[in-house]
Amino acid sequence: MKSTPLFVILITLLAFGCSNAPEQKAANSINKDSLLRHVETLSSDEFLGRSTGTEGEQMTVDYLVNEFEKMGATPGAENGSFVQEFPLLGQQTSNVQMSVSTNGRTPFSVEYFDEFMAWPANQSEEIDVQNAELVFVGYGIQAPEENWDDFKGVDVEGKIIVVKNNDPEHDPELFDGETRLYYGRYDYKYEKAKEMGALGAIIIHTNETAGYGWNVVSNGWSRERFYLKGEGNASSSPTKFNGWMTYQASQLLFEEAGLNLNELMEAANSTDFEPVSLNGVRMNVSMEADYREIMGKNVIAEIKGSDEELNDEYLVLTAHHDHLGITAPIEADSINNGASDNAAGVSALLEMMEAYKSIQTEIKRSVLAVVVGAEEVGLLGSQYWAENPTVEPGKVTANINLDGMNVYGQTKDVVIVGHGRSSFSDLLVEEAQKQGRTVKPDQHPDRGYFYRSDHFNLAKIGIPAIFPNPGREFIGKPDNYLATVDSLSDANYHTVNDEINEYWDLAGAEVDTRLFFLTGFRALNAEDLQTWRSGDEFEATRLRMLERIE
């Protein structure tokens, strides 16, 4: 019989806790079997991939409401409901064509899906752009605080801008070095195109600058897209379309203009970079789009704190319940079950809420679960809640966002996106130390994960937020196990393969969920509300929100 390493025994005892304190007993009630039960249900084929606006979404909402009712949580949405509905406009693009001409001839067409993706940027039903000029604008960033302006006064109105993805990361003194800021997100590029009056915007894709492969772009942007209804206006927006183009197709595009793409991508790293016109090259883009109006759904539940002076303040737990639904079949499987992304996160949230309910008399502040919809189509559920909050943002002490969990086994460490940015992050470090574990910052700061999940929308309204990620130092696993996990994660992300498999080991999710629960407990009973670090990009908004409640 193989003996268990002493270190594993010690860390397990620490994780399970030897304390008789109510919060520790409640934490220990969270276990891998109960976590698995929720995941098995939500990621089953019966839920049809939980896509926004589908029968699968309604089944998910019904399941969540039922779970909250069973544990005794109270409705947290308007009019005594568990469900906060929000209006969405669904956009399905078709008949997308792109061609490039030089001096009146048409040297090549660009293949939709395989080489480029594009969609109407202004909610029009038909787009027909002909003979448009193109301008390469580097990163397409204007950041006065960095003394950075990629446009240098060049007028791009009525032209298509071609943009390098990411933000400059070659200099640690600029844009936080290898940490991707909002400037590096595709959202910013498209917003800047609209602001500058561009006719269209095309982002050059590379795996390195995006942080994911072309398949994520093609699968994600070929599906029905959603917008909060009222966003965009076909009659007023100058930008007709947004899009992506593969690196290989982009090379051909630049070669038609006699330009070297690699040299220009490198030149874009300089503050002296100036826009470069693709002289003589013109682009034609046409497409059609159908629209439908639906209601998205957030599920909101509350556990009231016991302190009458503090229970109008909240810890907010977020997780998104939606996934990709049904897509083109791969080996006869067309259901994107979303077991890791994000049935696992929803499961952790439900278990934390049930544990808080079990010690309701021990928590001073209240807990609000906001299980959002429409995350996979643009963080829209959390955006709507942030714009229409059911509690005052200045009364929210912090947010824990659960988007994916460690489903591959116990680790010595835990990764926190947002590590070191707030006092709340410090609490998690202290609780992890009690488990004998270490906390590490985002392992891929260049990918901009802080801006890619629902906590970002809460941070934008000033709420100190953290986004836990799985650790990297696995305990009791074979050599090279981390490489196996990384390979599985890459292969399964946003595909039909995101299902429970033989590698799943929820001992890691169990210990992590207990850690997040205990960290939240600290914030619920702390003397003061949590704060952003001085100088953080969200600190000023936090201070404004606090002023509103004084």
Side-chain angles (χ1 to χ4, degrees):
M1 180 177 178
K2 186 177 180 181
S3 61
T4 303
L6 178 60
F7 178 81
V8 176
I9 295 173
L10 290 174
I11 194 172
T12 302
L13 288 173
L14 285 165
F16 286 3
C18 301
S19 169
N20 290 320
E23 67 270 21
Q24 190 63 63
K25 290 182 178 179
N28 292 348
S29 70
I30 299 169
N31 63 77
K32 57 185 180 182
D33 291 332
S34 55
L35 288 166
L36 183 61
R37 175 177 65 86
H38 295 303
V39 177
E40 287 178 331
T41 301
L42 292 169
S43 66
S44 66
D45 282 356
E46 181 184 359
F47 280 66
L48 304 172
R50 310 189 305 277
S51 183
T52 299
T54 66
E55 178 186 354
E57 180 187 46
Q58 186 59 55
M59 293 175 64
T60 304
V61 169
D62 292 343
Y63 179 84
L64 293 171
V65 170
N66 182 59
E67 290 297 313
F68 284 130
E69 288 179 336
K70 283 196 306 183
M71 72 176 68
T74 56
E78 299 87 349
N79 302 318
S81 173
F82 280 104
V83 180
Q84 179 189 51
E85 293 190 328
F86 51 95
L88 290 173
L89 192 66
Q91 177 194 74
Q92 185 67 63
T93 305
S94 61
N95 299 323
V96 187
Q97 304 289 330
M98 177 183 286
S99 62
V100 177
S101 60
T102 309
N103 297 323
R105 64 188 179 88
T106 305
F108 66 91
S109 296
V110 189
E111 291 297 320
Y112 178 70
F113 193 86
D114 292 329
E115 295 180 311
F116 84 99
M117 297 302 302
W119 56 94
N122 54 12
Q123 300 180 13
S124 292
E125 295 182 356
E126 186 173 342
I127 299 295
D128 187 19
V129 173
Q130 296 296 321
N131 207 38
E133 297 181 45
L134 297 108
V135 182
F136 177 63
V137 293
Y139 290 101
I141 292 172
Q142 288 183 313
E145 74 280 7
E146 300 280 359
N147 193 30
W148 193 280
D149 181 5
D150 280 324
F151 291 88
K152 301 292 194 303
V154 172
D155 184 8
V156 297
E157 186 173 355
K159 302 175 184 178
I160 297 171
I161 62 171
V162 184
V163 188
K164 180 179 179 180
N165 202 18
N166 205 351
D167 53 42
E169 59 180 26
H170 61 286
D171 185 343
E173 300 300 318
L174 290 169
F175 298 93
D176 282 353
E178 294 186 356
T179 299
R180 187 181 307 230
L181 303 180
Y182 190 61
Y183 291 119
R185 295 283 295 145
Y186 61 77
D187 315 69
Y188 174 84
K189 316 294 185 184
Y190 298 142
E191 290 166 5
K192 181 57 65 173
K194 183 176 179 179
E195 177 187 329
M196 303 300 286
L199 189 61
I202 297 173
I203 298 175
I204 300 169
H205 174 272
T206 71
N207 290 357
E208 293 75 21
T209 59
Y212 40 78
W214 178 254
N215 65 307
V216 175
V217 175
S218 56
N219 287 334
W221 294 92
S222 60
R223 297 182 294 115
E224 183 178 19
R225 301 298 304 167
F226 289 90
Y227 305 87
L228 288 180
K229 189 178 179 182
E231 285 184 11
N233 188 313
S235 63
S236 64
S237 174
T239 307
K240 302 300 182 185
F241 75 93
N242 292 324
W244 291 80
M245 184 176 288
T246 66
Y247 178 74
Q248 292 76 14
S250 299
Q251 279 186 310
L252 293 176
L253 179 65
F254 279 68
E255 286 173 3
E256 283 296 320
L259 299 171
N260 185 300
L261 177 59
N262 289 336
E263 291 178 357
L264 287 176
M265 295 269 274
E266 180 63 30
N269 289 327
S270 170
T271 56
D272 297 328
F273 170 84
E274 295 189 2
V276 177
S277 175
L278 276 65
N279 289 323
V281 177
R282 297 291 186 270
M283 179 170 282
N284 311 305
V285 180
S286 62
M287 66 192 75
E288 298 173 358
D290 294 318
Y291 296 88
R292 65 180 178 122
E293 296 182 11
I294 62 170
M295 298 301 290
K297 295 178 174 65
N298 294 332
V299 182
I300 305 175
E302 179 180 339
I303 297 172
K304 183 65 73 175
S306 62
D307 190 320
E308 292 185 0
E309 294 185 1
L310 295 178
N311 63 15
D312 65 341
E313 297 175 355
Y314 293 84
L315 169 71
V316 173
L317 307 179
T318 51
H320 72 89
H321 62 68
D322 63 307
H323 197 52
L324 306 184
I326 298 174
T327 57
I330 298 177
E331 296 182 358
D333 186 1
S334 60
I335 297 177
N336 293 262
N337 302 85
S340 176
D341 182 15
N342 185 37
V346 172
S347 178
L349 181 147
L350 290 171
E351 288 300 294
M352 288 174 65
M353 287 291 285
E354 188 160 8
Y356 284 129
K357 180 62 180 176
S358 73
I359 55 167
Q360 187 170 3
T361 58
E362 304 295 328
I363 57 175
K364 296 180 179 180
R365 294 182 175 87
S366 301
V367 189
L368 193 72
V370 183
V371 193
V372 298
E375 188 271 354
E376 298 287 10
V377 294
L379 312 183
L380 299 182
S382 58
Q383 179 186 338
Y384 185 83
W385 186 88
E387 294 175 356
N388 304 271
T390 55
V391 298
E392 181 65 43
K395 292 280 191 177
V396 177
T397 186
N399 165 235
I400 303 175
N401 183 46
L402 302 164
D403 188 356
M405 298 292 292
N406 176 8
V407 299
Y408 294 115
Q410 203 167 330
T411 58
K412 300 177 187 177
D413 61 337
V414 62
V415 174
I416 299 298
V417 178
H419 176 51
R421 297 184 63 167
S422 69
S423 60
F424 190 46
S425 169
D426 296 342
L427 293 183
L428 191 141
V429 171
E430 293 173 8
E431 288 301 316
Q433 289 173 344
K434 294 177 184 178
Q435 289 187 341
R437 304 174 70 195
T438 58
V439 177
K440 295 179 180 177
D442 183 3
Q443 300 297 285
H444 300 285
D446 57 309
R447 298 182 184 179
Y449 286 134
F450 194 89
Y451 309 95
R452 288 170 58 176
S453 193
D454 293 300
H455 63 284
F456 174 47
N457 282 321
L458 276 67
K460 286 197 294 185
I461 58 172
I463 298 171
I466 57 173
F467 174 24
N469 277 204
R472 308 280 291 168
E473 300 178 35
F474 286 92
I475 300 169
K477 296 296 183 181
D479 293 341
N480 299 320
Y481 187 70
L482 177 60
T484 300
V485 169
D486 286 344
S487 177
L488 286 167
S489 299
D490 290 343
N492 295 345
Y493 178 64
H494 279 199
T495 74
V496 296
N497 299 318
D498 186 0
E499 301 176 326
I500 298 170
N501 59 54
E502 65 271 23
Y503 290 94
W504 273 48
D505 176 359
L506 290 184
E510 175 185 285
V511 174
D512 285 357
T513 306
R514 293 176 180 182
L515 170 62
F516 309 148
F517 169 83
L518 291 168
T519 302
F521 181 84
R522 291 276 302 276
L524 287 165
N525 287 354
E527 182 176 349
D528 299 315
L529 295 171
Q530 302 303 304
T531 61
W532 290 104
R533 282 282 184 273
S534 178
D536 191 271
E537 62 183 308
F538 302 110
E539 181 194 23
T541 302
R542 177 64 164 178
L543 294 176
R544 288 197 301 272
M545 293 298 180
L546 292 174
E547 288 176 359
R548 284 172 44 173
I549 63 174
E550 291 180 352

